[in-house]
Amino acid sequence: MSELTHEVTTGASWSDLDRLNASFYSRFPYPWRPMSLRRVLDPEFEARFLAQALGRWGQLAVPAGGRIWVAGCGTNQAVITALRFPAADVLGTDLSEPSLDLARNSAGQVGATNLTLRRETIEESRDRDAFDHVICTGVVGHVTEPEVALRRLGEALRPTGVIELMVYNAHQRVGLVAFQDALRLLHAGDRDDFDGQLAVGRGLLANPELKPLLVELGLPLSGVPAEALADAVIQPIERGYTMGQLAEMAGRCGLRVAAPCLNQFDQPNQRHDWNMRFVDPEVQCRYDALPDLTRWEITNLLRRETSPKLWVYLVREDSPLPLKPERQLTEEFLAATEVERGQARTRLYMRSGASEYRAHPDEVPHPRAHPDPGCQRIVDAVAGPGRARLADAVAGERQGAGPADLNLVRLYLTTPLYPYLLVR
Ligand SMILES: C[S@@+](CC[C@H](N)C(=O)[O-])C[C@H]1O[C@@H](n2cnc3c(N)ncnc32)[C@H](O)[C@@H]1O
């Protein structure tokens, strides 16, 4: 396993937009440092739950010594990934040197030695068939040619690998993109005059009728920190997608949307469900008969800004592993006879104010009790002394549940965001 290293490229092949992005994310590195970081001490824990999200029961999505690429890693994501997958070699790349510096400092403080950081655009990457897992969230919509970047991610993936990708959901960004355009027209100055743009943005948001945008963005109504406001309203470029557009772009890059990826940003309002329930049984019947991706496209079109984020797992079109539809995943989950509680030992590193991360003296079990008491009862029933059958425990909690509700139970118990049950 490599020591934490830092590599730099010359940036000779960068586009004007790459340079603008580099100066934007150097002025406003994203995101700000979290108050705590978690090291998972069980090396297989995360790799097993990642495999389960695609129905690869009992397998590891990232084997010991496997490789992970965090593309456009910003300030934290590569460090977080190195701590989540301690048996893997993690590469973090970004075009912002200050972001990489912050990542390097945090990695040093928490002793994440399985991490290499490299200043490089995604488009410059020459890795082929190299990674078991690629993580790229909130980046592809900002680059010069999103499709070129996505193709690079796919080429870098091993045939059995999994990409975790988040692109902006176009329906959720309509108001924001319009605001960004208006701000640019009003500012009418140099594109890299970020402080000038930010001042115009703050001025605009003093208008009461524009304040709902802050609420939409989850920002406070006054005193918004410069980094948070800049990330939202003065992005050099931002493109959004529908589920259909994302799937088409993935197809052109030799990739397929395999499954939605449950993410922490949809967690507060429990917006994880890509399946809809209809009053009219005829409509429900038509909808249920469709392939997963078509259903998710319809959900995205009908729910628009209230659909989940466009956060998905992608696999290679030529992957030798089967791509299992949701219905099959749920059937296999319910038929499982070997089930154990997901429980990892973890160590927390905490900071206060501008201080360095310090290790908490005690190990902390992960995860804590399930936020849904019904799901917790299922865990206790199947992993407790009574060893109930999973199908019976689920039926006891969710009487008369249809396929979509049962699928949701699977997602709430067996995926990386809800790592409660390991299934074989
Ligand atoms: C919104 S931030 C997301 C950071 C990180 N992925 C996360 O979710 O925390 C976008 C990041 O992409 C980086 N970036 C933009 N264009 C890039 C490119 N062409 N290649 C690599 N990184 C890029 C920026 O420097 C910035 O750190």
Side-chain angles (χ1 to χ4, degrees):
M1 189 139 314
S2 63
E3 284 296 298
L4 171 65
T5 52
H6 189 77
E7 302 168 5
V8 182
T9 59
T10 60
S13 64
W14 289 13
S15 69
D16 288 347
L17 184 58
D18 290 336
R19 288 177 212 289
L20 188 64
N21 269 330
S23 65
F24 177 75
Y25 282 106
S26 298
R27 172 75 180 79
F28 302 108
Y30 179 92
W32 24 110
R33 291 191 311 158
M35 298 313 287
S36 67
L37 292 169
R38 180 192 299 279
R39 177 192 291 279
V40 180
L41 298 169
D42 174 350
E44 295 191 344
F45 187 77
E46 293 280 349
R48 280 199 68 184
F49 279 98
L50 178 58
Q52 288 198 159
L54 301 181
R56 301 177 185 176
W57 315 108
Q59 298 177 33
L60 298 175
V62 183
R67 296 187 67 202
I68 302 177
W69 177 22
V70 187
C73 59
T75 55
N76 300 322
Q77 203 174 30
V79 183
I80 291 169
T81 305
L83 293 175
R84 284 177 60 206
F85 294 90
D89 263 322
V90 177
L91 169 68
T93 61
D94 201 288
L95 45 60
S96 155
E97 189 65 41
S99 299
L100 292 167
D101 273 347
L102 285 164
R104 187 172 34 183
N105 284 343
S106 298
Q109 289 165 24
V110 301
T113 54
N114 56 331
L115 177 62
T116 299
L117 294 167
R118 187 187 296 163
R119 184 172 185 231
E120 180 183 87
T121 64
I122 293 173
E123 297 86 332
E124 283 174 303
S125 162
R126 292 289 168 262
D127 284 308
R128 296 289 179 272
D129 294 350
F131 297 98
D132 303 284
H133 187 30
V134 173
I135 300 175
C136 185
T137 60
V139 183
V140 163
H142 294 306
V143 306
T144 311
E145 290 187 68
E147 203 164 313
V148 171
L150 187 58
R151 185 164 294 118
R152 284 276 177 278
L153 301 182
E155 288 166 349
L157 196 67
R158 290 186 172 141
T160 54
V162 186
I163 299 179
E164 178 184 329
L165 181 83
M166 187 277 274
V167 292
Y168 300 113
N169 183 338
H171 298 296
Q172 291 169 337
R173 313 290 283 198
V174 174
L176 180 61
V177 170
F179 185 91
Q180 291 170 353
D181 288 346
L183 192 158
R184 256 190 291 275
L185 286 171
L186 200 54
H187 172 258
D190 289 342
R191 288 185 73 191
D192 60 357
D193 172 25
F194 303 124
D195 290 301
Q197 291 170 32
L198 203 55
V200 175
R202 278 199 197 280
L204 280 173
L205 288 165
N207 260 42
E209 81 266 28
L210 298 177
K211 289 217 184 269
L213 185 69
L214 291 171
V215 179
E216 233 175 77
L217 293 166
L219 295 172
L221 287 179
S222 60
V224 185
E227 298 79 9
L229 194 61
D231 182 65
V233 302
I234 62 164
Q235 282 287 346
I237 186 163
E238 173 175 319
R239 298 184 202 79
Y241 298 84
T242 63
M243 181 60 101
Q245 290 165 341
L246 169 60
E248 278 174 20
M249 179 165 74
R252 291 193 296 273
C253 297
L255 296 164
R256 288 205 278 181
V257 176
C261 170
L262 271 56
N263 65 85
Q264 71 274 23
F265 295 98
D266 283 327
Q267 220 169 5
N269 39 20
Q270 291 292 295
R271 214 178 259 173
H272 293 310
D273 198 354
W274 274 98
N275 290 303
M276 291 184 69
R277 321 293 187 276
F278 295 96
V279 173
D280 185 322
E282 167 71 15
V283 171
Q284 187 72 57
C285 204
R286 279 175 183 272
Y287 178 82
D288 288 345
L290 292 168
D292 286 349
L293 193 56
T294 315
R295 282 200 324 280
W296 301 334
E297 281 183 52
I298 292 172
T299 303
N300 191 210
L301 291 167
L302 293 177
R303 289 222 175 113
R304 298 189 309 275
E305 70 278 10
T306 62
S307 64
K309 294 205 174 298
L310 275 191
W311 206 308
V312 296
Y313 293 118
L314 301 173
V315 294
R316 278 174 49 160
E317 253 166 11
D318 61 354
S319 170
L321 299 176
L323 183 59
K324 299 181 181 177
E326 272 185 342
R327 198 170 276 249
Q328 182 182 350
L329 293 177
T330 304
E331 282 167 8
E332 289 179 357
F333 160 70
L334 290 172
T337 49
E338 277 184 61
V339 182
E340 61 184 280
R341 194 186 293 268
Q343 188 86 95
R345 294 178 303 114
T346 69
R347 182 167 303 288
L348 289 181
Y349 298 85
M350 324 281 281
R351 71 176 181 90
S352 56
S355 75
E356 298 200 339
Y357 288 105
R358 291 198 194 293
H360 190 279
D362 302 323
E363 289 179 3
V364 181
H366 172 72
R368 302 165 83 115
H370 201 293
D372 175 333
C375 285
Q376 184 60 48
R377 283 194 290 274
I378 294 172
V379 174
D380 292 338
V382 297
R387 292 259 155 206
R389 278 181 56 232
L390 188 49
D392 294 339
V394 173
E397 273 304 323
R398 302 284 203 269
Q399 280 140 17
D405 292 324
L406 293 173
N407 182 56
L408 212 47
V409 173
R410 171 183 68 82
L411 293 169
Y412 280 157
L413 289 173
T414 64
T415 53
L417 192 66
Y418 294 98
Y420 287 88
L421 287 180
L422 284 164
V423 170
R424 272 181 209 278

